[in-house]
Amino acid sequence: MMKNNALAESIAVLDSILYIDGKFSKGKGSRLPVLNPATSEVIGHIAAATTDEIDAAVSAARHAFASWSKLVPKTRAIALHRLGDLIAADALNMAMIMTAEQGKPVNEAKGEILKLAEACHFYAEEATRVHGEIIPNDQQGFQSLVVREPIGVVAAITPWNYPAELVGWKLCASLAAGCSIVIKPAELTPFTALAIAQKCHAAGIPAGVVNVLTGKGSQVGQALVEHPQVDKIAFTGSSAVGLHIQQSCPQVKRLSLELGGNCPMIVTASADLDAAVKGAARRSFRNCGQICIAINRIYVHRAIYEEFVTQLAAAADALSVDNGLENPAADLGAMASAEPLDKTRTHLQDALVKGARLVAGGKAPEGIQYAKGHFFRPTVIADCKHSMQVMSEETFGPLVGVAPFDDLDEAISYANDTPYGLAAYCYAQNLTEIHRVSVGLDYGNVAINNVDAGIMNAAYGGRKQSGVGYEHGREELLEYFNFKHIRLHHGVEN
Ligand code: NAP
Ligand code: MG
């Protein structure tokens, strides 16, 4: 039984619910449990959407698209502003729902909900700034207009690590552009998405414009990928599933794939050491490292290597790990499930067997209160080699590997020697070094002397196996438009 009655009630209302064509109703399919990862207790269930329910959601979206896309942008913007206000006003309640299913501490979850509200306002504003172009022709009497038209029905398929933001970016940009959307949230974190649907409903977004279907990715997600009436897939998740989606799509469809990463950080001899340690601790361990842009591996110039390792170990040891509902201000909560925790242990073991030095963490926190949850201490391993999994694969856990370097070009080439290309970080004060690193890193996002690689109004996307397409910024909005060239012969000669 959940200790918090208000939270239990909020979740009970969402239990086994689907949101189709403006109506919340109990799903007809089989039930799957949703667990609190800090305690392993069942907090509720989802209904696996049936084929009929999937068809109903897609056809509602198709129907709603016809009128939603024709509204003047200002009307859609007003609806999005209203949505942002409603979400911000209920941020704490929504945050607690998220913590109950995902594990991150409530304060952090609340920050994520507020960023979702910010995304609503940002895309509300962008909606009214969608411009076309007039292109000069090489003959008199012609004019070419390039206009942007919404793609149609979007299926958003999202992971569990940022249950609000990763739904929200797709939702806000789709709605701003004039698309309708069917959302399939991660099986682990469905209630946050359903809570967002409640807000869409309360904001008066017309029936069918937003729909939420729950269930397994391999069934419900796959059905959306294969559905002939879905015009675009907006996917965030692992590279393996992203590639599978690309390969299994039976029709030509627009795809955006925001996939995995194995993000490096380079710390040169000129770096502000304290700032670098602080940045490394934040971006390696926040959300238990379950971030696509988490730092996996750090290359530190040999002159400051030992000092950096000692300080990072101390910073990791200073972080608190706790039940995120009971201790909203904890630095780390429980990991979302057994799967990323197992992978973290595997990567740690692999590194230790191959000669890495454990300098912080390496185990679950001690105490009966942690016994049933997926907890792990933030872990730092030094003297890492490129052959270790932690240096080349995505861990998605609170583990970071550190290695020394002598030559900056060598560090850059190690940093780039990965199938991924999502985000990379560097701390340096020497301008030449900063320039060499910024130009040399083959990544979609490069943060220098900070570790917040994503901001709302700049394009965010991966290269190589980290994906195609962009979220955030104007660039994300373009992902939801088709361009149309209208070549008009008006016959007027200048
Ligand atoms: P995942 O296993 O790839 O799942 C992502 C979503 O896809 C879930 O909703 C999942 O459903 C669904 N899915 C699974 N198989 C499917 C199929 N055959 N067809 C359609 N949908 C399917 O990823 P995850 O484990 O939830 O999330 C962690 C991964 O996401 C990491 O690799 C991380 O790097 C990546 N990520 C990337 C970004 C970015 O912006 N680039 C941001 C965050 C996370 P279920 O719920 O049933 O599994
Ligand atoms: Mg998964």
Side-chain angles (χ1 to χ4, degrees):
M1 206 29 227
M2 238 179 295
K3 287 183 198 152
N4 185 314
N5 287 338
L7 174 60
E9 272 171 40
S10 298
I11 292 177
V13 172
L14 302 172
D15 197 281
S16 307
I17 289 292
L18 305 177
Y19 184 53
I20 300 174
D21 203 11
K23 291 183 271 306
F24 291 95
S25 56
K26 294 273 181 202
K28 296 192 176 64
S30 58
R31 301 297 193 254
L32 301 164
V34 180
L35 275 60
N36 177 342
T39 60
S40 294
E41 78 179 317
V42 175
I43 57 167
H45 292 82
I46 52 170
T50 63
T51 307
D52 284 351
E53 289 164 335
I54 295 167
D55 283 341
V58 174
S59 89
R62 166 72 44 208
H63 186 74
F65 172 68
S67 44
W68 180 250
S69 59
K70 297 289 182 300
L71 294 174
V72 293
K74 176 97 182 166
T75 307
R76 293 197 297 266
I78 290 168
L80 272 168
H81 278 306
R82 234 174 9 237
L83 178 61
D85 289 342
L86 287 170
I87 287 170
D90 198 29
L92 182 59
N93 176 46
M94 292 178 76
M96 289 173 71
I97 292 171
M98 189 194 304
T99 299
E101 63 185 5
Q102 202 274 349
K104 70 179 69 174
V106 168
N107 289 358
E108 197 177 324
K110 189 172 169 201
E112 184 182 338
I113 298 289
L114 293 174
K115 279 177 93 178
L116 165 62
E118 195 188 320
C120 294
H121 296 304
F122 178 80
Y123 284 103
E125 291 169 11
E126 285 299 307
T128 63
R129 293 178 197 143
V130 176
H131 304 158
E133 283 187 318
I134 299 173
I135 314 289
N137 273 242
D138 54 8
Q139 282 173 278
Q140 291 283 8
F142 286 84
Q143 194 171 48
S144 280
L145 311 177
V146 175
V147 297
R148 289 157 195 195
E149 297 181 343
I151 286 178
V153 175
V154 174
I157 302 175
T158 54
W160 44 261
N161 60 332
Y162 283 88
E165 282 191 88
L166 296 175
V167 167
W169 301 340
K170 297 165 184 66
L171 171 72
C172 295
S174 296
L175 265 48
C179 294
S180 56
I181 189 165
V182 179
I183 298 164
K184 203 304 277 178
E187 200 183 314
L188 293 181
T189 57
F191 294 132
T192 304
L194 287 165
I196 295 170
Q198 287 180 314
K199 301 301 175 217
C200 291
H201 194 78
I205 291 169
V209 173
V210 179
N211 306 271
V212 178
L213 295 175
T214 54
K216 283 193 177 299
S218 54
Q219 291 158 12
V220 182
Q222 189 70 43
L224 290 169
V225 169
E226 292 174 10
H227 205 295
Q229 290 295 319
V230 169
D231 302 298
K232 166 171 176 129
I233 302 292
F235 172 81
T236 300
S238 59
S239 294
V241 173
L243 179 61
H244 171 79
I245 286 175
Q246 190 177 55
Q247 289 174 335
S248 65
C249 205
Q251 312 94 24
V252 174
K253 258 189 227 299
R254 286 279 290 273
L255 292 176
S256 349
L257 304 171
E258 297 287 344
L259 309 177
N262 174 272
C263 305
M265 177 184 190
I266 295 174
V267 182
T268 76
S270 73
D272 173 339
L273 189 63
D274 291 347
V277 168
K278 209 168 155 215
R282 175 179 161 82
R283 191 48 72 226
S284 302
F285 302 127
R286 198 168 166 76
N287 199 10
C288 292
Q290 302 165 123
I291 313 187
C292 50
I293 57 169
I295 296 169
N296 281 241
R297 51 201 171 108
I298 307 177
Y299 303 97
V300 185
H301 192 272
R302 202 176 295 277
I304 54 168
Y305 176 70
E306 278 307 331
E307 185 58 27
F308 180 91
V309 167
T310 306
Q311 285 196 29
L312 182 60
D317 285 339
L319 294 171
S320 60
V321 180
D322 210 344
N323 180 320
L325 277 176
E326 287 170 8
N327 182 355
D331 293 309
L332 279 70
M335 297 182 71
S337 75
E339 196 187 319
L341 177 52
D342 288 348
K343 196 170 177 198
T344 303
R345 289 185 191 278
T346 304
H347 282 194
L348 173 61
Q349 205 45 41
D350 168 77
L352 294 178
V353 166
K354 291 175 183 162
R357 173 164 54 109
L358 179 67
V359 293
K363 55 183 183 335
E366 277 154 32
I368 187 77
Q369 68 273 36
Y370 303 115
K372 291 188 177 158
H374 309 294
F375 291 99
F376 206 69
R377 286 287 320 163
T379 300
V380 182
I381 43 180
D383 308 344
C384 289
K385 304 272 181 312
H386 204 53
S387 58
M388 297 171 182
Q389 285 174 319
V390 67
M391 303 304 271
S392 59
E393 295 176 25
E394 180 179 56
T395 307
F396 229 58
L399 170 67
V400 68
V402 192
F405 74 84
D406 296 298
D407 173 60
L408 189 55
D409 286 334
E410 177 197 31
I412 295 170
S413 84
Y414 275 127
N416 286 337
D417 185 17
T418 164
Y420 297 109
L422 190 52
Y425 305 87
C426 172
Y427 277 73
Q429 296 195 89
N430 175 304
L431 191 56
T432 311
E433 287 177 346
I434 290 174
H435 186 70
R436 277 168 66 196
V437 170
S438 327
V439 171
L441 287 170
D442 190 11
Y443 285 82
N445 306 273
V446 176
I448 309 282
N449 295 325
N450 76 92
V451 289
D452 295 295
I455 62 167
M456 189 68 69
N457 47 357
Y460 167 87
R463 299 178 176 183
K464 294 154 62 179
Q465 301 309 302
S466 291
V468 290
Y470 294 90
E471 294 200 300
H472 283 180
R474 290 207 176 142
E475 290 78 358
E476 173 167 11
L477 206 50
L478 294 181
E479 299 279 337
Y480 295 92
F481 284 116
N482 284 319
F483 290 2
K484 181 186 274 175
H485 173 201
I486 302 170
R487 187 160 187 257
L488 169 68
H489 180 215
H490 51 63
V492 180
E493 307 220 346
N494 303 322

